[in-house]
Amino acid sequence: MAINAQEVKHVAGLAKLEFTDKQLDMFTGQMDEIIKMVQQLSEVDTTGVPVTTHVTDAVNVMREDVAAKGMDRDLLMKNVPESQDGYIKVPAIIDESEEG
Amino acid sequence: MVDYFEHDLTSLHAGLNNKDFSAEELVKETFTNIEKKDSKIEAFLALDEKKAIAKAQELDQKGIPTDSLLAGIPIGIKDNIVTKDLRTTAASKILGNFSPIYNATVMDKLNQADMITVGKMNMDEFAMGGSTETSAFKITKNAWNQTKVPGGSSGGSAAAVASGQIIAALGSDTGGSIRQPAAYNGIVGVKPTYGRVSRYGLIAFASSLDQIGPLTRTVKDNALVLNAISGYDKHDFTSSRQQVPDFTQGLDGNVKGMKIALPKEYFGEGVSEDVKAAIKKAVTTFESLGATVEEVSLPHSKYGVPVYYIIASSEASSNLQRFDGIRYGYRAQDVKNLEDVYVRSRSEGFGDEVKRRIMLGTFSLSAGTYDAFFKKAAQVRTLICQDFANVFADYDLIIGPTAPTTAFGIGEDIDDPVTMYMNDILTIPVNLAGLPGMSLPAGFSNGLPIGLQLIAPQFAESTLYKAGYAFEQATDFHKAVPTIGGKD
């Protein structure tokens, strides 16, 4: 096994995902196969080979530090699932049960 | 009735210009045709009929200038390209009700060219997939055989063009998502050089690989659309300041002296005999046109798939963090606390393939695995780029198949991710190296189209179009028309 259910559960936690037991089974099996497939890279000798993280010759682009008008606030709120008085509404950050 | 199978963009422009038909007539007939055909193909996720007709009327009133080659002509847009006030979902439940408040740069450019958006095209969820089956909303069918997949992820775009519902569409290509569906549907699809087209407003999947490009029935139509959408954009710092040539220049059928490379790895295990035979015939066609074709080696090709799935998934896991149920998109109901909003919204909103990629990406980037996975993949990516550089030192163009087989059956591979991923083996290296690639029709097997892939050095799209046009003019494959969902 390249990965077990416990590890899959841990990665899911990092990715803010949760699985039912049945899903965990399925994802563990598939992740195991996928990881085995990608592990064939270990046979390539990459000693001293630099990494490629992008394929553009672009360099940092600077601009004058001048204030510019942003997007309209009402427009930005258009797709917000829940709002109140112009603010985005979310449930309590601290769970009641965690208090005290 | 304007039949798209009897037209290209140039003849549609002439028709509008000579007033053989008005833009309003063209747009209305397009919607009538979509209503008739799309019940069989299911390529559209949304239609924008009212606005499209209003725009056509406005254009008719103002008159279409002779130099506005694309004005008044309908186009379809892949649903991961944001369109102001027109629902954009990336075929995901998590964006099911998302109404963009701005236009992608390519949309602004198409609007400047006075093209008319008729609707949004189905795709694999967040462009993750090669069959359009991971869409949360519908299963699009191949234009040539409705029991087969249209390919993906730009399956809706490809099937709609191939079935004659629209003359052109935009797609996006991260590992083959324009070229493979173009191959499966017998049309022309181009993934431009990384940076040629602005990604501003393209819902990000893998930011170092994603690129928007056109799907059309002919090579020249494709060049005309790429002309309209290319160029530097201050909203995308990875867009290139390179000069954009007129891609229709050099479409003269002349490839005499062109040096073409044929990688032996592109005829390896997994590539079916019918596909090999069609590509070998294409080689003969190019030779008869005066090009030289020689076998070369891209030794690291076989590592393209593992490199891609690590890099693309890692970038995706980072990009898709933004879908948290707070500012837009799906939010789970009956949640107790903020953590629950994140976890439940994402778990209920994303489909299985997207979850697999997020998981693989998160795993590849986590402490303890980063060096063996992400860093290793980024190093092998360098070797893949060097393979191409070595070949392009001596050759103008690389040719090979676009996909190892013709379109597979709906439901056939969907539960087997590794088999599905291997289908991308011939298209992926092009994205990893940021090169431009084209797929164009090169034959049929059992009534299903076969795609020929052309690959050029960075910013040499003109070479693709020149060679593609010469091949197209020397062959009849692009003239074939599907019967179901096609002519009746």
Side-chain angles (χ1 to χ4, degrees):
Chain A
M1 288 281 282
I3 193 165
N4 62 37
Q6 210 44 47
E7 290 165 317
V8 170
K9 220 171 169 170
H10 171 70
V11 174
L14 295 174
K16 301 268 182 253
L17 292 170
E18 65 183 2
F19 300 133
T20 62
D21 288 347
K22 207 180 143 200
Q23 285 172 322
L24 187 65
D25 251 21
M26 180 189 80
F27 277 101
T28 304
Q30 290 175 338
M31 287 282 291
D32 189 54
E33 264 187 66
I34 295 168
I35 290 168
K36 277 181 189 150
M37 184 270 284
V38 300
Q39 271 176 337
Q40 61 172 294
L41 292 183
S42 62
E43 72 193 45
V44 187
D45 181 6
T46 50
T47 319
V49 177
V51 298
T52 297
T53 51
H54 66 83
V55 284
T56 133
D57 52 6
V59 288
N60 271 343
V61 181
M62 310 301 258
R63 64 165 172 79
E64 292 302 313
D65 187 17
V66 182
K69 205 170 155 26
M71 279 236 196
D72 180 82
R73 187 187 171 88
D74 290 337
L75 214 52
L76 283 169
M77 294 295 285
K78 196 176 147 189
N79 284 290
V80 172
E82 238 184 303
S83 64
Q84 194 181 320
D85 306 327
Y87 293 98
I88 298 172
K89 199 175 169 186
V90 293
I93 290 173
I94 300 167
D95 199 324
E96 297 280 314
S97 60
E98 285 173 27
E99 267 182 69
Chain B
M1 183 85 189
V2 179
D3 180 351
Y4 282 135
F5 288 129
E6 285 164 12
H7 280 281
D8 58 17
L9 287 173
T10 308
S11 70
L12 286 174
H13 173 67
L16 287 166
N17 235 258
N18 303 335
K19 303 210 169 10
D20 297 338
F21 43 85
S22 67
E24 183 182 351
E25 283 165 340
L26 181 60
V27 167
K28 283 183 170 167
E29 284 172 14
T30 302
F31 282 107
T32 308
N33 200 22
I34 290 171
E35 200 178 323
K36 203 176 73 187
K37 286 181 176 173
D38 208 46
S39 58
K40 291 175 188 141
I41 302 296
E42 300 199 75
F44 284 88
L45 284 177
L47 294 171
D48 202 13
E49 188 160 1
K50 228 172 111 185
K51 238 167 55 193
I53 291 171
K55 186 167 174 189
Q57 288 167 335
E58 192 189 308
L59 278 173
D60 283 332
Q61 249 167 25
K62 150 175 120 173
I64 289 169
T66 48
D67 60 350
S68 291
L69 299 176
L70 302 174
I73 298 174
I75 187 164
I77 307 298
K78 188 177 181 179
D79 206 33
N80 58 350
I81 295 170
V82 300
T83 45
K84 190 167 187 285
D85 299 327
L86 177 59
R87 198 174 76 122
T88 299
T89 68
S92 181
K93 185 181 168 189
I94 214 161
L95 284 174
N97 290 313
F98 183 63
S99 179
I101 58 172
Y102 70 98
N103 264 331
T105 297
V106 290
M107 295 314 300
D108 284 340
K109 285 180 176 270
L110 291 180
N111 288 337
Q112 274 158 27
D114 283 326
M115 280 201 108
I116 297 176
T117 301
V118 290
K120 301 303 289 286
M121 315 313 300
N122 196 22
M123 54 184 281
D124 283 295
E125 184 179 0
F126 284 104
M128 297 175 187
S131 67
T132 310
E133 293 169 290
T134 72
S135 166
F137 303 114
K138 51 168 73 166
I139 304 278
T140 300
K141 282 82 183 173
N142 189 291
W144 294 83
N145 179 338
Q146 281 76 62
T147 68
K148 304 289 183 187
V149 300
S153 65
S154 310
S157 299
V161 170
S163 59
Q165 301 187 61
I166 38 177
I167 193 97
L170 291 188
S172 69
D173 190 318
T174 305
S177 282
I178 289 173
R179 289 159 289 153
Q180 182 253 31
Y184 281 6
N185 285 281
I187 61 169
V188 182
V190 168
K191 182 209 95 77
T193 307
Y194 184 82
R196 180 64 95 184
V197 178
S198 168
R199 293 181 296 111
Y200 181 70
L202 173 66
I203 296 172
F205 161 12
S207 305
S208 82
L209 305 165
D210 297 341
Q211 191 62 191
I212 297 170
L215 295 101
T216 56
R217 282 203 348 277
T218 71
V219 171
K220 188 179 174 193
D221 281 2
N222 205 288
L224 284 166
V225 178
L226 188 61
N227 276 349
I229 61 171
S230 294
Y232 174 72
D233 175 17
K234 66 174 183 193
H235 294 303
D236 174 6
F237 288 161
T238 64
S239 67
S240 172
R241 289 173 190 268
Q242 289 258 350
Q243 196 77 34
V244 180
D246 174 358
F247 297 116
T248 65
Q249 291 290 313
L251 302 188
D252 53 11
N254 182 6
V255 289
K256 267 201 185 72
M258 191 179 275
K259 293 183 74 180
I260 301 176
L262 187 69
K264 62 175 187 220
E265 290 80 6
Y266 284 21
F267 291 83
E269 202 188 328
V271 181
S272 66
E273 290 307 316
D274 50 357
V275 171
K276 283 182 192 168
I279 304 311
K280 281 178 180 156
K281 219 175 134 196
V283 168
T284 317
T285 304
F286 275 113
E287 284 172 338
S288 72
L289 293 169
T292 59
V293 184
E294 287 171 0
E295 192 178 280
V296 297
S297 176
L298 295 169
H300 296 92
S301 288
K302 68 168 171 171
Y303 301 113
V305 172
V307 167
Y308 172 84
Y309 277 91
I310 291 172
I311 289 175
S313 302
S314 295
E315 294 183 16
S317 74
S318 167
N319 275 324
L320 270 59
Q321 284 182 72
R322 73 191 63 173
F323 299 99
D324 56 7
I326 305 294
R327 292 151 299 151
Y328 47 79
Y330 175 80
R331 181 186 285 191
Q333 297 301 300
D334 305 319
V335 284
K336 293 195 304 290
N337 55 41
L338 191 62
E339 178 75 6
D340 260 12
V341 176
Y342 301 146
V343 173
R344 296 246 329 268
S345 300
R346 290 166 65 81
S347 298
E348 291 167 24
F350 289 135
D352 284 351
E353 183 58 29
V354 173
K355 287 177 187 166
R356 271 191 288 276
R357 309 263 183 129
I358 292 174
M359 291 287 291
L360 178 62
T362 307
F363 173 78
S364 303
L365 292 171
S366 19
T369 48
Y370 177 87
D371 278 353
F373 286 81
F374 185 80
K375 190 180 168 204
K376 184 80 180 179
Q379 286 176 307
V380 181
R381 183 179 186 179
T382 304
L383 299 175
I384 289 170
C385 294
Q386 283 170 359
D387 281 356
F388 280 114
N390 291 342
V391 169
F392 284 130
D394 297 318
Y395 297 90
D396 304 307
L397 189 73
I398 292 172
I399 68 171
T402 306
T405 64
T406 55
F408 49 92
I410 291 171
E412 218 169 86
D413 287 342
I414 191 71
D415 295 322
D416 184 358
V418 171
T419 301
M420 193 72 108
Y421 295 172
M422 293 314 282
N423 283 322
D424 304 337
I425 190 162
L426 304 168
T427 44
I428 275 174
V430 175
N431 300 76
L432 291 172
L435 306 171
M438 169 189 282
S439 180
L440 73 165
F444 288 88
S445 178
N446 293 321
L448 290 170
I450 294 169
L452 168 72
Q453 187 174 207
L454 310 180
I455 304 165
Q458 284 203 337
F459 299 105
E461 287 89 350
S462 294
T463 309
L464 296 181
Y465 285 117
K466 187 178 182 63
Y469 184 81
F471 182 79
E472 184 184 62
Q473 295 308 300
T475 55
D476 281 332
F477 306 119
H478 66 290
K479 291 181 187 157
V481 163
T483 40
I484 309 173
K487 283 191 174 175
D488 26 26

